């Protein structure tokens, strides 16, 4: 739990380092440190927002934001990629807006990103890690709760959370409500063996 996105992310890395269990990861032929993690951000747009532990530069983060929100890499679908998060999210946004305008107190404003037919088909090596997103309006604020089946803590989690918060802000602006909290649940929150030294370095 943290006030800002960066603070909450840093605490999640510390918790993984201290409490994660070493397990086998045969799909990637290495060990991993793993736990289940819920990350709660009180003020998702609060500063400082961007983590200094984020792998990559600001241009990488902006590209990923545009990838998720605006679909700048949707052209790769059918050319090595089976889907993008944007493709699966965007087609459900009209329902989301309609539902929250119909009933701002709704518990039905869910975007399902996992496509069980495609993501479990034989030979699919990249099933969606993001499973679903649920939006709640409570007391005039839009809260977002995200479920990941799997999340690479040092290499992917911060980029995921940053882009999803930017989507939350876009939805809040469209609906004319304030930003609420952000909750990020990863059932497998992990660090691969190749990054053990990286994770340990963060603790120094």
């Amino acid at each position: 739990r943290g006030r800002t996105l960066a603070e909450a992310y840093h605490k999640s890395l510390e918790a993984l380092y201290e409490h994660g269990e070493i397990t086998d990861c045969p799909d990637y032929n290495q060990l991993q440190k793993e736990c289940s993690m819920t990350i709660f951000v009180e003020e998702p747009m609060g500063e400082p927002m961007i983590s200094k532990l984020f792998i990559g530069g600001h241009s990488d983060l902006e590209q990923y934001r545009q990838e998720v929100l605006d679909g700048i890499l949707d052209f790769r679908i059918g050319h090595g990629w089976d889907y993008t998060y944007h493709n699966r999210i965007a087609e459900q946004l009209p329902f989301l807006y309609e539902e929250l305008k119909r009933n701002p107190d709704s518990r039905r404003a869910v975007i399902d990103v996992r496509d069980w037919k495609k993501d479990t088909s034989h030979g699919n090596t990249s099933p969606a890690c993001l499973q679903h997103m649920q939006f709640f309006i409570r007391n005039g604020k839009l809260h977002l709760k995200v479920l990941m089946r799997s999340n690479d803590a040092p290499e992917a989690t911060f980029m995921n959370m940053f882009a999803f918060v930017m989507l939350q802000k876009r939805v809040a602006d469209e609906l004319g409500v304030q930003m609420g909290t952000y909750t990020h649940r990863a059932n497998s929150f992990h660090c691969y063996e190749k990054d053990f030294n990286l994770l340990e370095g963060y603790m120094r």
Side-chain angles (χ1 to χ4, degrees), residues 127-140:
C129 293
L130 173 60
Q131 300 295 281
H132 73 253
M133 317 176 88
Q134 187 166 8
F135 295 78
F136 293 87
I137 297 176
R138 297 293 183 268
N139 297 317

Side-chain angles (χ1 to χ4, degrees), residues 59-185:
S59 60
D60 301 306
L61 198 58
E62 173 59 17
Q63 177 176 310
Y64 186 70
R65 184 197 68 82
Q66 292 184 33
E67 179 184 339
V68 174
L69 271 67
D70 302 320
I72 63 170
L73 295 184
D74 281 4
F75 69 90
R76 298 189 65 175
I77 299 174
H79 302 278
W81 288 14
D82 296 322
Y83 67 94
T84 64
Y85 283 162
H86 171 265
N87 176 252
R88 292 187 177 181
I89 290 170
E91 64 184 6
Q92 299 177 65
L93 281 177
F95 157 76
L96 186 80
Y97 290 134
E98 180 181 349
E99 176 60 22
L100 289 174
K101 289 176 181 178
R102 180 193 71 83
N103 176 14
D105 297 314
S106 177
R107 297 186 297 265
R108 303 175 186 177
V110 175
I111 289 178
D112 288 309
V113 177
R114 179 178 185 262
D115 184 327
W116 72 268
K117 289 184 178 180
K118 294 181 180 179
D119 291 352
T120 60
S121 62
H122 180 70
N124 188 330
T125 59
S126 58
C129 293
L130 173 60
Q131 300 295 281
H132 73 253
M133 317 176 88
Q134 187 166 8
F135 295 78
F136 293 87
I137 297 176
R138 297 293 183 268
N139 297 317
K141 294 184 178 181
L142 182 75
H143 306 275
L144 174 57
K145 301 179 187 294
V146 166
L147 175 64
M148 309 286 291
R149 66 167 181 85
S150 175
N151 222 187
D152 186 327
E155 293 201 5
T157 298
F158 184 78
M159 290 183 71
N160 293 149
M161 293 197 304
F162 180 84
F164 299 158
V165 166
M166 292 295 100
L167 175 64
Q168 179 185 1
K169 180 66 165 59
R170 179 172 290 185
V171 173
D173 290 346
E174 174 69 22
L175 295 172
V177 297
Q178 296 180 350
M179 281 283 285
T181 60
Y182 174 80
T183 305
H184 187 95
R185 170 72 179 177

